[in-house]
């Protein structure tokens, strides 16, 4: 394979990986779509994210919340697709990140995070609770560490210092929220809030990186004369 062909193949894989990361955004769109189908009250402060994917209707007495999600299948499919996009994208976008250990470790952990999210999507909280919990317990903290490591790798570069710092700060905020959730600060009435702050940043991070990093790579290639205007 010639150098030009090899470069073209790598570029194609990177573009595909970036697109997959951007497609993670459908996760957030579907949260609102599925929630809109609820006929019982749904609160981002009180209800767990997983309630949107519950396969049955019930009232949880311990946290005093109703759960009845008519479009739970759509939620499960959305989470599964998001997990696959996150994992596959992490395998393909490697050239967009600095060739350092923190970036490699962070991307590997993003693959784990994505696969854990797939487990969450395929196993509703009320019918296959054990697998669902395992997926969630892995996805949230591992995703935070992945975001921290990839953010640190970018923050050490001149071009992506600001973006990297955003990733590091986001990971720290998510980790603090996870601690508050586990410690049950604010009681059941704030569980949903802490969970969302703990879980959402890594997915948003993937979307932002998928949008921003390829543009920077194209600029570098154009400036070096390897890409025509």
């Amino acid at each position: 394979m010639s150098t030009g062909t090899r470069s073209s193949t790598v570029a194609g894989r990177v573009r595909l990986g970036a697109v997959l990361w951007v497609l993670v955004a459908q996760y957030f769109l579907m949260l609102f779509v599925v929630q809109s189908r609820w006929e019982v009250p749904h609160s981002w402060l009180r209800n767990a994210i997983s309630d949107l994917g519950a396969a049955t209707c019930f009232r949880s007495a311990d946290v005093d919340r109703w759960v009845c999600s008519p479009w739970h299948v759509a939620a499960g499919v959305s989470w599964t697709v998001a997990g696959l996009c996150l994992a596959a994208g992490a395998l393909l976008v490697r050239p967009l990140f600095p060739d350092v250990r923190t970036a490699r470790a962070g991307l590997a952990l993003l693959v784990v995070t994505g696969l854990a999210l797939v487990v969450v999507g395929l196993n509703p909280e009320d019918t296959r609770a054990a697998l669902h919990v395992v997926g969630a317990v892995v996805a949230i903290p591992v995703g935070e560490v992945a975001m921290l490591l990839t953010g640190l790798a970018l923050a050490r570069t001149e071009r992506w210092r600001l973006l990297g710092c955003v990733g590091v700060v986001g990971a720290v905020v998510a980790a603090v929220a996870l601690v508050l959730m586990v410690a049950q600060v604010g009681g059941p009435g704030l569980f949903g809030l802490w969970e969302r702050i703990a879980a959402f940043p890594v997915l948003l991070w993937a979307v932002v990186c998928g949008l921003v990093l390829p543009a920077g790579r194209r600029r570098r290639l154009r400036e070096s004369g390897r890409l025509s205007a």
Side-chain angles (χ1 to χ4, degrees), residues 20-21 23-27 75-91 109-121 139 203 206:
L20 290 175
W21 270 10
L23 289 177
V24 172
Q26 59 79 29
Y27 171 98
V77 170
S78 171
W79 300 343
T80 301
V81 170
L84 291 173
C85 288
L86 182 63
L91 293 173
L109 291 179
L110 282 173
V111 174
V112 175
T113 302
L115 295 178
L117 183 55
V118 170
V119 173
V120 170
L203 301 176

Side-chain angles (χ1 to χ4, degrees), residues 58-95:
F58 60 91
R59 180 176 181 273
S60 179
D62 57 335
V63 293
D64 189 26
R65 75 180 193 272
W66 283 97
V67 177
C68 194
S69 187
W71 281 25
H72 61 273
V73 173
V77 170
S78 171
W79 300 343
T80 301
V81 170
L84 291 173
C85 288
L86 182 63
L91 293 173
L92 295 171
V93 300
R94 175 69 193 85

Side-chain angles (χ1 to χ4, degrees), residues 34-217:
V34 174
Q35 179 183 334
S36 72
R37 306 308 300 171
W38 280 44
E39 296 181 359
V40 298
H42 182 281
S43 169
W44 274 40
L45 298 180
R46 182 180 298 272
N47 283 94
I49 303 170
S50 298
D51 290 347
L52 295 171
T56 61
C57 296
F58 60 91
R59 180 176 181 273
S60 179
D62 57 335
V63 293
D64 189 26
R65 75 180 193 272
W66 283 97
V67 177
C68 194
S69 187
W71 281 25
H72 61 273
V73 173
V77 170
S78 171
W79 300 343
T80 301
V81 170
L84 291 173
C85 288
L86 182 63
L91 293 173
L92 295 171
V93 300
R94 175 69 193 85
L96 294 178
F97 286 83
D99 188 18
V100 294
R101 186 177 303 173
T102 49
R104 292 192 293 270
L107 290 170
L109 291 179
L110 282 173
V111 174
V112 175
T113 302
L115 295 178
L117 183 55
V118 170
V119 173
V120 170
L122 293 177
N123 298 279
E125 65 173 354
D126 53 333
T127 58
R128 290 191 286 274
L131 285 173
H132 183 90
V133 170
V134 169
V137 166
V138 172
I140 295 178
V142 172
E144 292 168 355
V145 175
M147 184 177 179
L148 176 64
L149 293 176
T150 50
L152 285 172
L154 292 175
R156 291 168 181 163
T157 68
E158 181 177 356
R159 181 181 292 271
W160 300 118
R161 183 168 293 115
L162 178 58
L163 178 62
C165 289
V166 169
V168 171
V169 171
V172 171
V173 170
V176 171
L178 178 59
V179 171
L180 294 175
M181 182 186 76
V182 173
Q184 299 183 17
V185 173
L190 289 181
F191 177 87
L193 174 64
W194 301 138
E195 183 189 29
R196 285 166 172 80
I197 297 175
F200 287 176
V202 66
L203 301 176
L204 291 170
W205 175 243
V207 174
V208 171
C209 287
L211 288 170
V212 174
L213 293 180
R217 185 173 188 268

Side-chain angles (χ1 to χ4, degrees), residues 13-34:
R13 290 173 179 172
V14 168
R15 284 195 297 270
L16 175 59
V19 169
L20 290 175
W21 270 10
V22 173
L23 289 177
V24 172
Q26 59 79 29
Y27 171 98
F28 297 100
L29 173 63
M30 290 306 298
L31 290 181
F32 290 103
V33 171
V34 174

